[in-house]
Amino acid sequence: SGQFLRTGADDNGFWVGFSGKVSQIAGVHQYGQSDKPSLRAKAVPYPERELLGATAADREQLLDLLYIHVSAV
């Protein structure tokens, strides 16, 4: 859900992602890792379910848009 996404920027770039516990949960689902569903439970393997991703075409389009924006300055 978008309500859990966080953004940030500094002199070197920007980022979009999750923070805190949500970040850990998102990583488990993104990469298909194991995690404990509760404190005393055994670790359960979760299937890989990509939450955020970009195809090669998506990345190319983003780079094109970035180039247009930067060259217009």
Side-chain angles (χ1 to χ4, degrees):
S1 173
Q3 77 186 57
F4 297 113
L5 282 174
R6 302 289 178 254
T7 60
D10 61 22
D11 293 341
N12 296 319
F14 69 94
W15 59 269
V16 176
F18 299 99
S19 62
K21 182 68 175 168
V22 175
S23 173
Q24 190 266 334
I25 293 169
V28 167
H29 289 275
Q30 178 83 8
Y31 302 112
Q33 300 170 341
S34 294
D35 191 22
K36 292 181 177 184
S38 66
L39 226 46
R40 294 191 174 113
K42 290 184 177 182
V44 175
Y46 288 86
E48 185 175 321
R49 294 183 282 187
E50 190 172 87
L51 300 171
L52 298 172
T55 65
D58 292 335
R59 288 189 292 276
E60 190 67 33
Q61 184 178 15
L62 285 170
L63 287 172
D64 289 345
L65 289 170
L66 180 61
Y67 178 75
I68 290 167
H69 178 73
V70 170
S71 64
V73 173

